[in-house]
Amino acid sequence: EYTASVTDQDKSSWRAKKRAKGFTGDLQRMIGNLIESSGFGTIDSKGFSPTCMADSASTCQFQDLGMTRKPHIFLPSFPASTVPAKMGKVLRMLGIKSTAVLDGMKRQEAERHSYDHVFVLSAPTVDDALAYLNGTSSKTSDIIGDKEIKMQLVKVSPTECKNLVDEMNHFYSNNVAPHEDYPTNSLYASDALHPGDSGYDFFARVLTDQIASKIEMQS
């Protein structure tokens, strides 16, 4: 994906990216592709008048501050310790440790960027989950409507979607996986491993709160 027009100044960084393998390499490619995406050329910020530079549609220069801004990228951390699936102590420990290693790679990659535009969000806690289930959690994400959604990974008709959901509900209602007795079980699907509808709603609210907080601090 890199062209021969890379400058001498960029060669060391380019070679480092080419050598990266595994999950770290995936992160670098994802972040690089997002930053270079022309779709971010329309980034705006309240109170400022950005002028996108002709040589880089993905970087906008803010005339008021004399600075450049890149898209904010938020990498979530996952609450592996609360997954209720019964898997034995050794396998559970390996799962938690492996997830922690991957989240650590995200933090290392975020620290490599000097633009303060890549962040790693904290994993939701049990207290966060209980507050959500008790109806006492923050409702920040309520302000985000469907019209604010900029990207959908899957597009299906409402009828097709409903039929698929009904089929899945029927299957999983008769095939409940063995699970631990955790107070947050209702946030997980019947496979006791992936989030259910309420789990995704909870996860989105927690991440939205953190994102709003970080953007407010930068402002």
Side-chain angles (χ1 to χ4, degrees):
E1 297 179 5
Y2 296 91
T3 65
S5 62
V6 177
T7 63
D8 291 337
Q9 186 177 2
D10 294 331
K11 281 183 179 178
S12 59
S13 173
W14 173 71
R15 285 170 181 157
K17 289 182 180 180
K18 293 291 284 186
R19 285 198 300 266
K21 297 180 179 180
F23 186 66
T24 298
D26 291 339
L27 286 174
Q28 290 179 353
R29 284 186 288 275
M30 180 192 71
I31 293 173
N33 288 340
L34 285 173
I35 291 174
E36 294 167 9
S37 170
S38 60
F40 285 112
T42 58
I43 289 178
D44 202 345
S45 180
K46 187 176 181 180
F48 299 103
S49 300
T51 301
C52 294
M53 298 186 298
D55 61 340
S56 178
S58 63
T59 304
C60 290
Q61 183 172 7
F62 287 77
Q63 296 175 334
D64 299 66
L65 297 180
M67 61 181 290
T68 58
R69 292 290 300 275
K70 289 183 178 292
H72 287 87
I73 300 172
F74 299 94
L75 306 174
S77 300
F78 295 100
S81 59
T82 60
V83 171
K86 278 196 173 180
M87 58 185 77
K89 291 183 179 180
V90 175
L91 187 57
R92 176 174 293 277
M93 181 187 69
L94 288 175
I96 293 174
K97 293 290 186 182
S98 299
T99 302
V101 169
L102 296 179
D103 289 339
M105 292 179 180
K106 296 174 190 176
R107 287 190 292 272
Q108 290 177 356
E109 189 59 29
E111 291 171 359
R112 290 180 65 252
H113 293 264
S114 59
Y115 303 101
D116 294 330
H117 68 286
V118 180
F119 303 91
V120 176
L121 305 178
S122 301
T125 65
V126 174
D127 288 340
D128 291 331
L130 294 177
Y132 170 83
L133 293 172
N134 293 330
T136 58
S137 62
S138 171
K139 302 295 183 183
T140 301
S141 59
D142 285 342
I143 65 175
I144 301 178
D146 290 341
K147 65 180 182 179
E148 302 297 332
I149 297 175
K150 302 300 182 184
M151 177 178 68
Q152 277 186 223
L153 299 182
V154 179
K155 183 178 181 180
V156 296
S157 69
T159 301
E160 184 180 356
C161 181
K162 182 181 182 304
N163 291 340
L164 181 59
V165 170
D166 289 343
E167 181 181 346
M168 293 173 64
N169 286 338
H170 175 74
F171 175 83
Y172 284 115
S173 64
N174 295 286
N175 297 273
V176 179
H179 56 273
E180 304 289 351
D181 186 18
Y182 291 166
T184 56
N185 281 8
S186 60
L187 297 177
Y188 288 85
S190 14
D191 66 357
L193 185 62
H194 297 91
D197 289 346
S198 59
Y200 280 114
D201 183 74
F202 158 67
F203 202 35
R205 292 179 187 277
V206 172
L207 298 184
T208 300
D209 285 342
Q210 292 188 46
I211 291 171
S213 176
K214 290 185 180 298
I215 291 179
E216 183 179 0
M217 288 177 61
Q218 281 203 325
S219 299

